[in-house]
Amino acid sequence: MQSTDKGQKVLNSMDVYRVSHLPVVKGNNYLGLVSDKLIYDLNLLNEPVEKEAAKFNSTHVHEDQHIFEVAALMYKLKLSVITVVSAGHDYLGAITLYDLARRFARFFSLQEVGGVIVLEVNENDYSLAHISQIVENNDTKILSSFMDRIPGTQTLDIILKLDKEDLSPVIQTFMRYDYNVKGVYLDHSMLSDLYLDRYDQFMKFMNI
């Protein structure tokens, strides 16, 4: 948003993009993030938001930062949007929680053909090298993997996206090595349910 925009216009844009923060610029120069709360608290509905520019959140990231750093910063500061700036502090764009979710979906190969196995392991027994060896010895590849710690325990859920839909040989080998196979997702409806559940967990993790 431009610094001369009034608070009501900014709120309308927040509704459109379903966010509670928006970057404010003056020309190409980034001034900071304005929140819906700030607009209401300072009664800026009919005033240019630049009137309270000193109270903007100046948080931003640079174009060469990794997306994991971006996610960590948004989580820490409870932001629905974060601004990307150049080395000269020029405004380049913004990243929303929805953008993050789409990027992580690509990272985890969620759209690739294959199945998913969820292993439940004790933290002290966790070895990605051993898990990978079991998978690859069955002529299967890991497309992506991620770990979900069960709160208050030393138990981990290891979620593996594999490049085969027939996972029977892999499952049998895991069981032979005393792994607890907590879940198997083979058809698209089951995978959709899993992805939706993990997306919901991600949004709760971000706590926005």
Side-chain angles (χ1 to χ4, degrees):
M1 304 299 297
Q2 288 295 326
S3 59
T4 54
D5 290 331
K6 293 183 178 180
Q8 186 60 62
K9 182 178 180 180
V10 178
L11 290 175
N12 292 343
S13 295
M14 288 180 184
D15 287 340
V16 170
Y17 293 108
R18 297 183 179 181
V19 295
S20 54
H21 306 81
L22 278 177
V24 179
V25 297
K26 191 167 189 175
N28 288 326
N29 188 41
Y30 172 58
L31 299 183
L33 288 172
V34 65
S35 67
D36 52 0
K37 184 177 186 302
L38 187 69
I39 291 172
Y40 285 120
D41 287 351
L42 299 179
N43 196 24
L44 294 175
L45 291 176
N46 298 309
E47 300 284 347
V49 290
E50 65 182 351
K51 181 179 178 181
E52 298 290 349
K55 294 184 173 65
F56 291 169
N57 186 329
S58 61
T59 301
H60 60 275
V61 295
H62 292 279
E63 55 187 321
D64 57 351
Q65 286 186 246
H66 195 277
I67 196 67
F68 286 174
E69 293 181 281
V70 175
L73 189 60
M74 292 180 74
Y75 163 69
K76 179 180 179 181
L77 300 179
K78 306 296 185 287
L79 298 176
S80 59
V81 173
I82 199 164
T83 304
V84 182
V85 301
S86 69
H89 210 70
D90 288 333
Y91 175 77
L92 298 178
I95 298 172
T96 67
L97 282 177
Y98 177 69
D99 295 328
L100 281 182
R102 290 196 305 169
R103 179 62 63 88
F104 282 122
R106 290 203 299 273
F107 279 162
F108 296 137
S109 303
L110 300 187
Q111 303 305 317
E112 299 290 333
V113 174
V116 170
I117 292 178
V118 181
L119 302 175
E120 185 179 79
V121 302
N122 185 282
E123 182 177 8
N124 295 328
D125 299 328
Y126 171 59
S127 170
L128 184 58
H130 188 237
I131 290 171
S132 300
Q133 184 181 36
I134 290 174
V135 172
E136 292 172 4
N137 284 347
N138 283 282
D139 194 29
T140 304
K141 295 186 183 302
I142 298 176
L143 297 176
S144 67
S145 67
F146 59 105
M147 180 180 67
D148 185 17
R149 185 185 302 277
I150 298 176
T153 73
Q154 289 188 311
T155 303
L156 308 174
D157 279 355
I158 309 301
I159 299 96
L160 306 172
K161 176 65 183 287
L162 308 180
D163 70 341
K164 300 283 180 62
E165 292 185 311
D166 180 10
L167 301 179
S168 300
V170 179
I171 294 169
Q172 290 172 9
T173 308
F174 275 130
M175 293 177 70
R176 191 162 64 245
Y177 281 95
D178 293 326
Y179 278 93
N180 180 16
V181 179
K182 186 175 180 179
V184 179
Y185 302 84
L186 301 177
D187 63 58
H188 292 296
S189 62
M190 294 173 71
L191 288 173
S192 295
D193 290 343
L194 174 67
Y195 299 154
L196 180 59
D197 177 63
R198 297 299 165 178
Y199 174 79
D200 288 342
Q201 288 186 31
F202 171 74
M203 297 302 282
K204 289 177 182 177
F205 169 76
M206 295 302 291
N207 195 27
I208 299 298

